[in-house]
Amino acid sequence: MSATPTSNPVTAGMLVIGDEILSGRTKDKNIGTVADFCTEMGIELREVRVVADETDDIVAAINALRTRYTHVFTTGGIGPTHDDITADAVAMAFEVALPINDEAREIIETRLRKVNVEINPSVLRMARIPEGATLIANPVSGAPGFRMGNVHVMAGVPKIMQAMLNEIAKTLTSGRKMLSRELPCGVGESTVSTGLGEIQTEYPAVKIGSYPQMVNPQRDPDVAPVYAYIALRSTNEALLDEATAKVKALIDRLHAEKGITLSEEPKP
């Protein structure tokens, strides 16, 4: 999917842009897609911000994220309307001009001629690309995204954004793939928290998370109504397996103490 990964941590931040997301009119689907993509690429997605269609806010978010992470992914705000201001904000953040890009213009005009759509000034807003940026192909609808430095600017429409992610995958610096293990616990978080904390201290390279789950007490009478589900993640498989074995031993001990028998994962 990409070039040979580096052994150094590769990180990312994501910026979701649009009033429609913050108002609830549009339900975001891109965060999960980018998170899955980053996991597959061995990239640690460490921060996601959602901002309104306000130029100053977008500029501030871009400048904060691009200095903090290896990659920044933005979604939304590169269409043909007056409130599509992401390109303007990126140009301001990098302090460069925002001219009509000849290559982008040709791509857009060629695509529109094929479907007999009028080429007008609104359409050409999508051909404005910050000076020095490179284009990100859009095999779905034609109008490209772009990359400026470590900032990858993509469409907000989920199908188009996914296609753009696929296009940039081979160009990204990637890291070691994050591996994961999951264990149903059968007891509440407060019961397992002390033991988990001790294991986390012993294995700092393994991220251990505890997540509450609801179960049906009639179906699983021995299991706590709200039980902990344990997830472990690491790029080091050997340490991950060691930590998982210790968490499993902890769970088994707690089950023995409380007389819990789990023949299968508790069901909601």
Side-chain angles (χ1 to χ4, degrees):
M1 195 173 185
S2 67
T4 302
T6 176
S7 59
N8 298 319
V10 180
T11 60
M14 182 179 177
L15 181 61
V16 180
I17 300 164
D19 291 344
E20 69 277 11
I21 302 295
L22 290 166
S23 70
R25 183 182 181 278
T26 299
K27 310 303 181 187
D28 179 81
K29 297 180 180 178
N30 292 328
I31 294 174
T33 299
V34 170
D36 289 342
F37 172 84
C38 287
T39 297
E40 183 65 27
M41 293 285 294
I43 297 171
E44 295 181 40
L45 181 61
R46 292 187 176 175
E47 182 177 356
V48 177
R49 299 190 185 192
V50 183
V51 298
D53 294 316
E54 298 288 344
T55 302
D56 290 346
D57 293 344
I58 299 170
V59 170
I62 288 171
N63 280 334
L65 294 172
R66 73 187 178 96
T67 58
R68 191 172 298 165
Y69 303 115
T70 312
H71 303 295
V72 178
F73 304 107
T74 82
T75 65
I78 60 172
T81 61
H82 70 282
D83 57 346
D84 287 310
I85 56 175
T86 300
D88 305 75
V90 173
M92 291 179 63
F94 282 87
E95 299 182 342
V96 297
L98 185 66
I100 295 289
N101 179 283
D102 290 338
E103 183 182 357
R105 178 173 187 160
E106 178 62 28
I107 291 169
I108 293 168
E109 290 184 345
T110 299
R111 180 75 174 230
L112 294 183
R113 288 192 193 100
K114 290 180 179 178
V115 294
N116 296 317
V117 174
E118 178 188 1
I119 298 169
N120 56 41
S122 293
V123 167
L124 292 180
R125 280 179 59 82
M126 296 186 291
R128 299 177 310 135
I129 304 294
E131 208 164 58
T134 56
L135 300 185
I136 298 173
N138 170 7
V140 177
S141 61
F146 60 86
R147 173 179 177 170
M148 187 72 188
N150 64 336
V151 180
H152 308 268
V153 179
M154 298 175 290
V157 178
K159 184 176 180 180
I160 300 175
M161 195 281 299
Q162 177 70 74
M164 289 183 173
L165 274 181
N166 294 340
E167 290 292 325
I168 67 174
K170 56 184 175 290
T171 71
L172 296 178
T173 301
S174 62
R176 296 176 63 186
K177 187 173 180 179
M178 185 71 72
L179 305 172
S180 64
R181 306 284 187 268
E182 295 183 351
L183 296 169
C185 193
V187 296
E189 287 188 296
S190 60
T191 302
V192 77
S193 62
T194 299
L196 280 184
E198 293 171 352
I199 297 170
Q200 180 65 90
T201 299
E202 186 178 356
Y203 293 91
V206 179
K207 296 182 179 182
I208 304 175
S210 172
Y211 307 96
Q213 301 286 327
M214 301 292 294
V215 297
N216 185 335
Q218 294 180 333
R219 182 181 299 169
D220 295 285
D222 293 334
V223 177
V226 181
Y227 75 96
Y229 199 91
I230 313 302
L232 302 92
R233 303 170 67 239
S234 180
T235 58
N236 186 314
E237 188 169 15
L239 291 179
L240 179 61
D241 287 341
E242 284 183 24
T244 301
K246 293 203 173 184
V247 172
K248 179 64 167 57
L250 169 65
I251 292 171
D252 289 345
R253 177 173 61 78
L254 292 173
H255 287 180
E257 291 174 358
K258 296 181 175 298
I260 294 174
T261 300
L262 281 184
S263 58
E264 58 182 26
E265 178 181 334
K267 299 176 181 178

